[in-house]
Amino acid sequence: MFKKIGLMALATCALFSTQAQTDSTQSPVKESDTMRIGNIIILKNGQPSNQSQEVQDYFKHRKYNKSNHVTHWFAFDLGFNNFVDNTDYSSPETQAFAPGATDDWFNLRNSKSVNVNIWFVQGRLNMIKHVINLRYGAGLEFYNFRFEEDIRFRKNPPSVYLDDQINYNKNKLALNYITVPVMLNINFTPGKSLERSFGVSAGVSGSYLYGSRQKYRSDETGKEKLKGNLGLNDFKLAYVGEIHLGPVQVYGSYATESMFKKGLDFTPYTVGLRLSAF
């Protein structure tokens, strides 16, 4: 009897001894609150730690530490163009260029007088704490003036007359420029992303007229084009500006002088939206 009791006691002691050894060899494993995949660190349980705080500080610093020089390739403008008519139609010079002309000759179809610009490159150079920046670019400007009246251009020498024999259902003067704008930019939100930014830009642009033509269409003539010397100035200097409202940019330009060399005093201007991530 005592022998059985002794054996049971020894077995019980051995059991407790084994359990104690097992507990002493195991230690609670704290699940990490981050996981690293290559150079990317992912928060797992959402709890802050020294490592995760370093990651947050890194991205916060990266967000506000913008480059001093940024280049953006390709932007697209879509808007409308028109002109301010300052012509003195009673002057001998105007009557020689456009005999019998009045301001009613040059009324535009505003909804079809479209301005399209393609910017190959745009740049921004930090000048003062990313608040004051220099913006510049290079691209092509396309002006399309759609006339309501049946006017026709001649060349050699350039002149304009009203065609009272044919009714045109399309009559457009198209001008193509190579343009380089330079603007001073004020960024009121230098520490915010593009979607929350606000700023304005203003400056000047210089342009060279590399192509001009009148396109007209009628039932009698079909489609026709007149290219060449139409009495237009080869160069254009304009005041330009932008308003940045987050990802939306509104642009505008106003030339400093007439687009014609003589006879007509038409100062062109544009306004529209700029589609750019810059």
Side-chain angles (χ1 to χ4, degrees):
M1 182 67 179
F2 290 105
K3 185 177 181 180
K4 292 182 178 180
I5 294 174
L7 291 173
M8 293 177 62
L10 289 173
T12 302
C13 291
L15 178 63
F16 281 111
S17 176
T18 303
Q19 183 66 36
Q21 291 177 3
T22 303
D23 293 340
S24 64
T25 58
Q26 292 181 351
S27 60
V29 178
K30 181 179 179 182
E31 184 180 1
S32 175
D33 59 357
T34 63
M35 179 174 63
R36 181 183 292 272
I37 302 177
N39 293 326
I40 301 175
I41 299 176
I42 302 175
L43 297 178
K44 295 174 64 178
N45 58 18
Q47 299 298 322
S49 68
N50 292 335
Q51 192 177 29
S52 63
Q53 186 62 43
E54 290 176 1
V55 175
Q56 295 175 16
D57 292 341
Y58 167 76
F59 282 107
K60 181 178 180 181
H61 175 72
R62 185 179 180 184
K63 177 180 178 182
Y64 290 97
N65 186 21
K66 296 183 177 180
S67 300
N68 287 325
H69 184 210
V70 180
T71 301
H72 178 69
W73 304 98
F74 191 77
F76 181 78
D77 295 351
L78 181 60
F80 297 96
N81 52 232
N82 208 316
F83 53 77
V84 176
D85 187 358
N86 296 314
T87 305
D88 180 5
Y89 287 96
S90 63
S91 69
E93 185 178 53
T94 298
Q95 290 301 314
F97 184 79
T102 66
D103 56 355
D104 293 334
W105 278 26
F106 303 99
N107 292 330
L108 294 180
R109 296 182 179 180
N110 295 327
S111 62
K112 294 186 177 181
S113 296
V114 179
N115 168 238
V116 177
N117 306 320
I118 299 175
W119 303 106
F120 301 127
V121 61
Q122 292 180 308
R124 182 181 68 237
L125 180 64
N126 172 39
M127 298 179 67
I128 303 176
K129 296 182 178 180
H130 298 284
V131 176
I132 306 298
N133 306 279
L134 181 68
R135 288 176 61 93
Y136 60 89
L140 303 178
E141 291 184 303
F142 303 96
Y143 287 71
N144 297 277
F145 300 97
R146 289 286 295 269
F147 296 108
E148 290 187 343
E149 303 302 323
D150 302 323
I151 62 171
R152 289 283 299 270
F153 284 85
R154 293 192 183 100
K155 58 182 183 180
N156 301 324
S159 63
V160 181
Y161 69 98
L162 183 65
D163 190 347
D164 55 4
Q165 302 296 320
I166 298 176
N167 182 25
Y168 297 97
N169 48 48
K170 181 178 181 179
N171 190 358
K172 178 177 74 171
L173 177 64
L175 312 179
N176 302 341
Y177 293 95
I178 298 175
T179 300
V180 176
V182 178
M183 293 181 289
L184 190 67
N185 167 255
I186 301 177
N187 185 5
F188 297 105
T189 55
K192 293 186 178 181
S193 62
L194 175 66
E195 292 76 14
R196 302 174 59 190
S197 64
F198 173 67
V200 296
S201 302
V204 296
S205 69
S207 304
Y208 173 73
L209 181 69
Y210 72 90
S212 61
R213 62 200 175 278
Q214 184 187 19
K215 297 175 65 176
Y216 44 89
R217 182 180 63 202
S218 68
D219 295 335
E220 294 87 350
T221 63
K223 296 181 180 180
E224 292 187 288
K225 295 181 182 180
L226 178 66
K227 298 180 181 181
N229 180 19
L230 303 180
L232 297 159
N233 277 314
D234 294 326
F235 296 94
K236 174 173 68 73
L237 184 67
Y239 304 111
V240 294
E242 296 176 346
I243 300 176
H244 306 261
L245 302 172
V248 178
Q249 298 181 34
V250 179
Y251 76 91
S253 71
Y254 187 88
T256 60
E257 61 180 358
S258 173
M259 58 186 182
F260 286 93
K261 294 178 181 178
K262 61 181 182 179
L264 299 174
D265 190 355
F266 293 167
T267 304
Y269 64 88
T270 66
V271 63
L273 295 179
R274 176 156 294 156
L275 307 179
S276 171
F278 183 64

